[in-house]
Amino acid sequence: MDHEIVIAQTTSDDEELAKTLAREAVESKLAAGVHIDAPISAFYWWQGKVEAAQEWRISYITSSDRLPALEPWLHEQHPYDVPQWVTLPVTGGSDAYLSWVVDETLLQEERAV
């Protein structure tokens, strides 16, 4: 397989926003699928003090080819000043699933080629 598969993650303190960010990324072919984890407790430094929040982790399953479009899109859509943005390489998985991720993130013009 020529395409690398990655999981890109962010968080949101609003469940409805998390669902919107998930649906729009899939509809735009920026991700093949998105998982939203149940609320998690987050503790972090922000503006010189420790903050605590309830957040939903959003995991985008995508190809490395789509990351250059997904990251700026997320930063435009996300209300946080500094949203979490980390990417994790997928180092294995079933060929059928990994092929599905690649197929679902191809743009229409790429499919015709």
Side-chain angles (χ1 to χ4, degrees), residues 5-6 22 25-27 29-34 60-63 66 70 97-106:
I5 306 303
V6 296
V26 171
E27 288 174 346
K29 295 288 190 181
L30 295 169
V34 180
Y60 298 93
I61 300 95
T62 191
S63 69
R66 297 301 283 145
L70 179 58
Y97 181 79
L98 299 178
S99 293
W100 171 79
V101 172
V102 170
D103 290 346
E104 292 305 320
T105 56
L106 289 174

Side-chain angles (χ1 to χ4, degrees), residues 49-110:
K49 64 181 182 173
V50 175
E51 298 284 343
Q54 181 180 49
E55 294 184 312
W56 286 259
R57 181 181 297 118
I58 308 163
S59 299
Y60 298 93
I61 300 95
T62 191
S63 69
S64 58
D65 295 344
R66 297 301 283 145
L67 279 178
L70 179 58
E71 183 176 4
W73 174 87
L74 184 277
H75 286 281
E76 286 178 15
Q77 304 300 315
H78 208 294
Y80 288 8
D81 291 339
V82 182
Q84 175 186 323
W85 184 253
V86 296
T87 59
L88 309 166
V90 174
T91 60
S94 76
D95 287 340
Y97 181 79
L98 299 178
S99 293
W100 171 79
V101 172
V102 170
D103 290 346
E104 292 305 320
T105 56
L106 289 174
L107 297 174
Q108 196 65 33
E109 56 271 15
E110 294 172 319

Side-chain angles (χ1 to χ4, degrees), residues 33-46:
V34 180
H35 294 151
I36 301 172
D37 293 334
I40 57 175
S41 296
F43 296 87
Y44 53 92
W45 282 101
W46 184 247

